[in-house]
Amino acid sequence: ALAADQIYFNSSYHLQSFTQTLEPFLKQFPDFKELQNIKSIKAKSQVLPLGLDLKKMDQYRVDKRTDLPVILWNHRWEYDKNPELFFQSLIRLAQEKIDFKLFVLGGQYQKSPAIFAAAKMQLSDRILHWGFAENYEDYAHCLWQANLYPVTSNQDFFGGSVVEAIYCGASPLLPQRLAYPEHIPVSKRKQHFYQSPEDFYQQLKRLVLDFEKNRSLIFENDEIQNFVARYDWSTLVPQYDQIFST
């Protein structure tokens, strides 16, 4: 950071999580703490969002007006995405005889959390797709078909998969932390965030049970979709060009 001319972060959350922990981190050391350099690092730090090929997904758009809620997971199969809360909540819904369908996408690793295997078995009759999509077209089709998008991640400096799902019209239910508030217009934040694991479950349950009543919330997400469309490369390339040419 000291050697860089400029420092760019994926999101405001990313920037703040770094700069706000510099002082306590450096104070751990017995000498040469260099605390005076924190100010200069902050001065040359700014946000530069990830660029995504969002408009590429438009050609794969399909009708998502289904009779049942279709829930989506499209993250890495890792612990930091908190799959336990996600799948335990869905299993809990299933045990209460609440109907829904499920897309589970994302990269699988040799030692993926055990909850994936358990969920695949316990939710087998609800699964529409399970595992890494074979190609981009299949991935995009799944996103366009999903209409409910509960997210449980404990770590995300930006959330590319989250932005892609929102762009494809899946109605998000997000934790009120990390970078996620930056992806939702202020006017819409009250209805798309939860505060705790139990709040997550209760809000998700209400969305699934009241699926028909909430169709306008689920299917009329133009404001949110347009809000995240600013991350498309067509918008961000000029910003990148200007930054790297100065």
Side-chain angles (χ1 to χ4, degrees):
L2 283 172
D5 296 315
Q6 292 290 324
I7 310 167
Y8 298 99
F9 293 86
N10 292 335
S11 61
S12 294
Y13 165 72
H14 193 189
L15 187 155
Q16 292 167 9
S17 66
F18 179 77
T19 56
Q20 291 177 359
T21 53
L22 279 176
E23 184 172 348
F25 173 73
L26 292 171
K27 281 185 174 179
Q28 297 177 90
F29 299 98
D31 53 13
F32 298 104
K33 295 180 174 66
E34 304 292 335
L35 297 177
Q36 72 278 5
N37 289 318
I38 294 175
K39 186 176 180 180
S40 67
I41 289 174
K42 288 181 178 180
K44 57 183 177 179
S45 296
Q46 59 182 292
V47 176
L48 182 62
L50 293 180
L52 301 170
D53 289 325
L54 297 174
K55 290 184 179 179
K56 180 181 177 181
M57 307 187 93
D58 292 346
Q59 63 186 303
Y60 303 111
R61 186 167 188 160
V62 297
D63 185 8
K64 63 169 74 255
R65 291 182 177 274
T66 60
D67 294 330
L68 287 175
V70 180
I71 295 171
L72 171 68
W73 167 286
N74 67 330
H75 317 287
R76 289 180 287 104
W77 294 19
E78 295 274 16
Y79 290 99
D80 66 336
K81 301 305 180 183
N82 198 7
E84 286 79 9
L85 176 59
F86 180 88
F87 287 113
Q88 286 169 1
S89 297
L90 296 190
I91 291 170
R92 189 174 167 186
L93 288 176
Q95 290 172 341
E96 294 185 40
K97 309 299 183 184
I98 298 172
D99 207 2
F100 61 88
K101 295 298 181 181
L102 176 64
F103 284 113
V104 177
L105 302 160
Q108 182 177 358
Y109 300 90
Q110 288 185 343
K111 294 185 178 180
S112 296
I115 187 65
F116 282 93
K120 185 178 182 180
M121 181 176 64
Q122 295 187 57
L123 301 172
S124 60
D125 59 333
R126 299 161 188 269
I127 295 170
L128 299 174
H129 177 96
W130 186 273
F132 197 79
E134 291 187 7
N135 53 60
Y136 185 86
E137 181 179 355
D138 290 347
Y139 175 74
H141 277 153
C142 289
L143 264 60
W144 281 114
Q145 291 176 71
N147 45 49
L148 289 181
Y149 187 54
V151 175
T152 53
S153 300
N154 289 326
Q155 179 59 36
D156 230 337
F157 284 128
F158 181 78
S161 60
V162 173
V163 169
E164 288 178 334
I166 294 173
Y167 181 82
C168 290
S171 185
L173 178 59
L174 307 166
Q176 185 73 48
R177 49 187 168 77
L178 308 178
Y180 303 136
E182 300 173 51
H183 303 327
I184 304 295
V186 174
S187 62
K188 297 288 186 179
R189 289 181 183 174
K190 184 177 180 180
Q191 62 203 43
H192 290 287
F193 287 97
Y194 63 89
Q195 304 295 330
S196 66
E198 184 59 24
D199 185 34
F200 168 75
Y201 177 73
Q202 294 301 331
Q203 288 203 50
L204 178 60
K205 180 178 179 179
R206 185 180 70 251
L207 287 170
V208 173
L209 285 174
D210 297 341
F211 181 72
E212 283 299 322
K213 186 172 72 174
N214 290 325
R215 288 180 78 85
S216 61
L217 170 66
I218 293 168
F219 294 122
E220 297 175 11
N221 280 325
D222 289 350
E223 184 178 350
I224 300 177
Q225 288 174 271
N226 292 336
F227 192 74
V228 298
R230 62 200 169 112
Y231 300 127
D232 186 77
W233 273 121
S234 62
T235 299
L236 285 178
V237 159
Q239 296 183 35
Y240 274 70
D241 286 348
Q242 182 179 11
I243 284 170
F244 292 132
S245 63
T246 56

